[in-house]
Amino acid sequence: MRLSKYVLPLLREDSSEAQIASHQLMLRAGLVRQVAAGIYAWMPLGLRVLDKIAGIVREEQDRAGAIEMLMPTIQPAELWRESGRYGAYGPEMLRIKDRHDRDLLFGPTAEEVVTSLMRSSMNSYRDLPRTLYNVQWKFRDEIRPRFGVMRGREFLMKDAYSFDLDNASARQSYNRMYVAYLRTYARMGLHAIPVKADPGPIGGDMSHEFIVLAGNGESDVFYHREWDANAKYELPDATDDSAIDAFVAERTSHYAATDEMRDESREAELADQIRTARGIEVGHIFNFGTKYSESMGLKVQARDGGLVAPQMGSYGVGISRLVGAIIEASHDDAGIVWPEAVAPFRVGIINIRANDEASAAVADKLYRQLTDAGIEVLYDDRDDRGGAKFAAMDLIGLPWQVVIGPKGVERGTFELKCRATGKREDLSYDELIARFTG
Amino acid sequence: MRLSKYVLPLLREDSSEAQIASHQLMLRAGLVRQVAAGIYAWMPLGLRVLDKIAGIVREEQDRAGAIEMLMPTIQPAELWRESGRYGAYGPEMLRIKDRHDRDLLFGPTAEEVVTSLMRSSMNSYRDLPRTLYNVQWKFRDEIRPRFGVMRGREFLMKDAYSFDLDNASARQSYNRMYVAYLRTYARMGLHAIPVKADPGPIGGDMSHEFIVLAGNGESDVFYHREWDANAKYELPDATDDSAIDAFVAERTSHYAATDEMRDESREAELADQIRTARGIEVGHIFNFGTKYSESMGLKVQARDGGLVAPQMGSYGVGISRLVGAIIEASHDDAGIVWPEAVAPFRVGIINIRANDEASAAVADKLYRQLTDAGIEVLYDDRDDRGGAKFAAMDLIGLPWQVVIGPKGVERGTFELKCRATGKREDLSYDELIARFTG
């Protein structure tokens, strides 16, 4: 993409709208713009990151055997009356009346919808186990939206729902998601800790939140040092259930809890092996048995001919929130430092002298050649000062920067800078091409 | 995908919910399920088609130089008050109050939002021309939703917005989209006719609807035989503006109009060269000058230093509606006949004797080998009668069906059926592989 043809509304100065680094940087780097309180538009650069994150989430859901579907944003109130949650949900639910005065709502989650859909889709034990997922916009009418996309009102969530015949199978579905989530966050460069959590309004008796440590986080977490960032563990294959069960049993033996779920006697025992930190919740998984299948009448024929209400679980990843969480975890004074897997473009080319013909010719050629090779490149071909271009490129945080200018053209070497380490190298044109396409 | 692990809720019988073929087939083939009047969930098979269509739309928008962004579903009423449309829009707008009693709405279109975003993103003539697009769920509170996804309330739309310095440039942006749309529909196997249309509540003085002919269509169209399905024309390159302008001038010289825009004297002149038909609107493009930029105060610095309100246009494709339109255009008594470009899977493998070890071994191997080669395969490995499997495969309409059974294993050849033509061939295992991977 040529920057001269793009829409990248950078801000030179901090915005009074934002109190934390990720929010500030998302505004300054032109990733999002607020449309109403807690409601954001994703500008072109921001959407590329959102799509990358959603892509990784989808790949790991698919790998774990979950099947993608798509539920609507607007749900009928009837379904929530069936489950008994319509009255219980409170003012965070955005309630709507249509032109016929029927009660609708903008879904904050979709247990009711998926359960109602499975009533006519699942008939027998042969139709189980299944896990379905969907990536869709949700709405929670937060009383005080803040921190940008981290606590917005309209947000993109991956929500998955598992249906199993019995408790043992439900536990395996849960464990598969536990592992899929750890792999998902690791691929984005995040160290996420699954902590024992309060299931809250979703219900059930087993629940983990996935927390990324960050000083600005809203959650307090208490965990054994086995969950430190430098504690190493190998993730099992995504569908090897016995390896997964062993892994989850081992990992969950190490203490990790949210504020509400602390076990003070256990913490006292563990003493200085306990860590305390603040973090950002980036996922939440639940096993709630037959809460929805029973109340909403989802039953399938069992092997013995009787009818059984499936055991269910649900599994959420906050996709739009992750954009903020990744920035909280990876930025410096100059701007964002994107991990390669979620970077909006992999390479930025800076032509520091746009009106110098020889420089433009080299930069144009490099841009075309890398783009043709399938590398995502943002090419700053604007007629602007070199200093402004360097600052802009650092701010938006692409992993690699290539600098083209008259001196380089004369020398035959060009500077390649790694955004994360700051390391600079001088490479010939062919070495540059080989570095990215090799 | 193995059907034994999938969620494909087929219906044996027609549903009383549906009056037209596409709606009936979408329910019977398990593509969608209604969640509330005019609001649908996309089941796994249906979502794959929706994603394919959205993918083609995005490729052609990108090819035409449009830049993707993403606007929220929920918009603040203030923006619509600025443009003057809040009062004017009528009961099709889903109006919402949040917990603080602020007026919101579920966007039926996004001229106001994009104009407000560009107020802070575009400053000078150097920032123009630009066309931005977004693929997002919209809501129109139809008084009588019907025909399934063809006239639903929540629907997926690609909406693009162009910003130009002057009228000539705006006309070129319009023409690029005119060509991009024709290419988009052609890639989906649709013959779409751009007809002169009433701009309605969007406003402006130039507008075309893209109509796909179908007996069940809601629109009457009147067009010159030069727009017949067998009339051939070559589309110009997506960004060759002079070729595009010449093409559009030539094509629009051939009469084509909706009911509201008929020119009776011209029709009388053309006499028997005029065709009359019913059709489905699958896209609508508008050029409305400065209607929104003026009313909402979007101005950029012109080359001469003055301030100018950009000329705008907007361009919509009904992505979810297209799923219905394609089925209307391509089905038979046995079910859907998907064009390859939008088929949910390219190949269906039917193992007619799931409990026969030799058949299962061949079918398993073929499934794995094709899948590994990147071919999308749905493998019916269920323990069910052959007849039911054939009927299911015809109903869901995958382009190619491979039949594996004991006789074929013995003979060493397997039946390959083309869904569209019904033509059957007997091919060896290696020939089958070569047919799809060659």
Side-chain angles (χ1 to χ4, degrees), chain A residues 4-22:
Chain A
S4 64
K5 309 269 187 203
Y6 205 49
V7 175
L8 181 63
L10 302 181
L11 300 180
R12 291 236 169 75
E13 282 165 28
D14 277 355
S15 159
S16 59
E17 230 178 84
Q19 296 137 37
I20 60 170
S22 60

Side-chain angles (χ1 to χ4, degrees), chain A residues 37-48:
Chain A
I39 301 178
Y40 289 86
W42 293 79
M43 304 304 285
L45 200 73
L47 177 59
R48 292 179 74 99

Side-chain angles (χ1 to χ4, degrees), chain B residues 150-201:
Chain B
M150 299 257 280
R151 180 165 280 230
R153 294 197 290 171
E154 185 169 330
F155 58 97
L156 187 61
M157 188 161 99
K158 184 285 297 178
D159 39 326
Y161 303 90
S162 62
F163 299 84
D164 287 271
L165 268 186
D166 57 40
N167 218 0
S169 174
R171 182 66 200 232
Q172 280 196 335
S173 296
Y174 186 92
N175 288 350
R176 276 198 185 194
M177 284 293 143
Y178 182 103
V179 169
Y181 276 35
L182 285 177
R183 200 186 317 267
T184 299
Y185 301 123
R187 284 185 59 190
M188 297 172 193
L190 291 175
H191 171 65
I193 304 178
V195 302
K196 235 181 134 173
D198 180 354

Side-chain angles (χ1 to χ4, degrees), chain A residues 6 23 36 84 98 102 111 119 132 163 180 190 232 238 248 259 273 277-278 287 308 314 319 324 368 378 386 389:
Chain A
Y6 205 49
H23 188 189
D98 71 10
R102 279 179 298 223
E111 282 80 8
R119 283 194 296 223
L132 291 130
F163 298 85
L190 291 175
K232 290 275 170 272
V248 174
D259 213 3
Q273 298 171 60
R278 295 189 71 78
N287 174 7
V308 58
S314 73
I319 294 180
R368 272 198 312 273
L378 184 65
K389 292 187 175 191

Side-chain angles (χ1 to χ4, degrees), chain B residues 311-378:
Chain B
Q311 302 282 322
M312 291 175 56
S314 73
Y315 313 89
V317 171
I319 294 179
S320 45
R321 161 175 279 214
L322 272 168
V323 181
I326 291 169
I327 295 174
E328 284 297 331
S330 187
H331 69 275
D332 60 22
D333 288 345
I336 301 168
V337 182
W338 290 118
E340 289 221 22
V342 301
F345 296 90
R346 188 172 165 209
V347 179
I349 298 176
I350 296 173
N351 178 0
I352 49 174
R353 198 75 70 72
N355 53 7
D356 175 71
E357 257 181 53
S359 299
V362 172
D364 284 2
K365 184 178 162 199
L366 182 64
Y367 168 64
R368 275 198 310 272
Q369 203 169 342
L370 290 178
T371 301
D372 289 349
I375 314 293
E376 295 173 309
V377 182
L378 184 66

Side-chain angles (χ1 to χ4, degrees), chain A residues 180-229:
Chain A
Y181 276 35
L182 285 176
R183 200 187 316 267
T184 299
Y185 301 124
R187 284 185 60 188
M188 297 171 192
L190 291 175
H191 172 65
I193 304 178
V195 303
K196 235 181 132 172
D198 181 353
I202 301 278
D205 59 357
M206 182 167 57
S207 177
H208 285 91
E209 279 182 18
F210 289 76
I211 304 280
V212 172
L213 303 186
N216 284 319
E218 291 193 283
S219 314
D220 285 305
V221 287
F222 307 87
Y223 59 94
H224 190 273
R225 65 182 178 200
E226 280 284 341
W227 281 113
D228 277 347

Side-chain angles (χ1 to χ4, degrees), chain B residues 64-258:
Chain B
I67 304 165
E68 189 171 5
M69 64 174 297
L70 185 61
M71 286 179 272
T73 63
I74 300 295
Q75 306 178 2
E78 293 103 272
L79 292 177
W80 290 67
R81 292 201 180 100
E82 282 188 47
S83 73
R85 284 208 294 175
Y86 189 64
Y89 206 91
E92 286 192 4
M93 180 186 278
L94 189 67
R95 292 160 207 260
I96 303 171
K97 279 200 187 288
D98 72 8
R99 68 193 289 173
H100 298 299
D101 221 33
R102 279 179 297 224
D103 289 320
L104 303 173
L105 57 100
F106 198 122
T109 176
E111 281 79 8
E112 282 82 358
V113 173
V114 76
T115 304
S116 78
L117 291 167
M118 291 309 119
R119 283 193 297 222
S120 57
S121 302
M122 294 178 163
N123 302 305
S124 95
Y125 63 90
R126 276 186 299 258
D127 298 327
L128 300 180
R130 291 291 188 283
T131 297
L132 291 130
Y133 75 96
N134 106 131
V135 175
Q136 181 58 292
W137 291 90
K138 306 285 191 295
F139 203 97
R140 282 186 201 154
D141 201 359
E142 298 275 353
I143 190 159
R144 261 190 313 143
R146 58 198 162 133
F147 303 156
V149 300
M150 299 257 280
R151 180 165 280 230
R153 294 197 290 171
E154 185 169 330
F155 58 97
L156 187 61
M157 188 161 99
K158 184 285 297 178
D159 39 326
Y161 303 90
S162 62
F163 299 84
D164 287 271
L165 268 186
D166 57 40
N167 218 0
S169 174
R171 182 66 200 232
Q172 280 196 335
S173 296
Y174 186 92
N175 288 350
R176 276 198 185 194
M177 284 293 143
Y178 182 103
V179 169
Y181 276 35
L182 285 177
R183 200 186 317 267
T184 299
Y185 301 123
R187 284 185 59 190
M188 297 172 193
L190 291 175
H191 171 65
I193 304 178
V195 302
K196 235 181 134 173
D198 180 354
I202 302 279
D205 60 357
M206 182 169 55
S207 177
H208 286 90
E209 281 182 17
F210 289 75
I211 304 280
V212 171
L213 303 187
N216 284 318
E218 293 194 281
S219 314
D220 283 305
V221 286
F222 307 86
Y223 59 95
H224 189 275
R225 66 184 178 198
E226 279 285 342
W227 282 112
D228 278 346
N230 56 7
K232 290 277 170 273
Y233 50 82
E234 192 104 354
L235 291 171
D237 278 358
T239 56
D240 179 348
D241 287 319
S242 62
I244 287 172
D245 290 349
F247 173 85
V248 174
E250 191 275 327
R251 292 313 300 173
T252 52
S253 73
H254 306 301
Y255 183 79
T258 58

Side-chain angles (χ1 to χ4, degrees), chain A residues 6-176:
Chain A
Y6 205 49
V7 175
L8 181 63
L10 302 181
L11 300 180
R12 291 236 169 75
E13 282 165 28
D14 277 355
S15 159
S16 59
E17 230 178 84
Q19 296 137 37
I20 60 170
S22 60
H23 188 189
Q24 201 60 264
L25 287 169
M26 288 184 74
L27 293 172
R28 287 194 49 212
L31 303 180
V32 294
R33 286 293 180 263
Q34 184 169 281
V35 171
I39 301 178
Y40 289 86
W42 293 79
M43 304 304 285
L45 200 73
L47 177 59
R48 292 179 74 99
V49 178
L50 194 70
D51 283 346
K52 288 268 167 72
I53 292 173
I56 292 173
V57 169
R58 285 192 168 99
E59 280 173 23
E60 295 305 328
Q61 292 293 297
D62 293 342
R63 197 195 303 273
I67 304 165
E68 189 171 5
M69 62 175 299
L70 185 60
M71 286 178 272
T73 64
I74 300 296
Q75 306 178 2
E78 293 103 271
L79 292 176
W80 290 67
R81 293 201 179 101
E82 283 187 48
S83 74
R85 285 208 293 176
Y86 190 64
Y89 207 92
E92 286 192 4
M93 180 187 279
L94 189 67
R95 293 161 207 259
I96 303 171
K97 280 199 187 289
D98 71 10
R99 66 193 292 173
H100 299 300
D101 221 34
R102 279 179 298 223
D103 290 320
L104 302 173
L105 57 100
F106 198 123
T109 175
E111 282 80 8
E112 282 80 0
V113 173
V114 76
T115 304
S116 78
L117 291 168
M118 291 309 120
R119 283 194 296 223
S120 57
S121 303
M122 294 178 163
N123 301 305
S124 97
Y125 63 90
R126 277 186 299 257
D127 298 328
L128 301 179
R130 292 291 189 283
T131 297
L132 291 130
Y133 75 96
N134 107 131
V135 175
Q136 180 59 292
W137 291 90
K138 307 284 191 294
F139 203 97
R140 282 185 202 154
D141 201 0
E142 299 275 355
I143 190 160
R144 260 191 314 142
R146 57 198 163 134
F147 303 155
V149 300
M150 299 259 279
R151 182 165 279 230
R153 294 198 290 171
E154 185 170 332
F155 59 99
L156 187 60
M157 188 162 99
K158 184 285 298 178
D159 39 328
Y161 303 89
S162 61
F163 298 85
D164 287 271
L165 267 185
D166 57 40
N167 217 359
S169 173
R171 183 65 200 233
Q172 280 196 334
S173 296
Y174 186 93
N175 289 349
R176 275 197 185 195

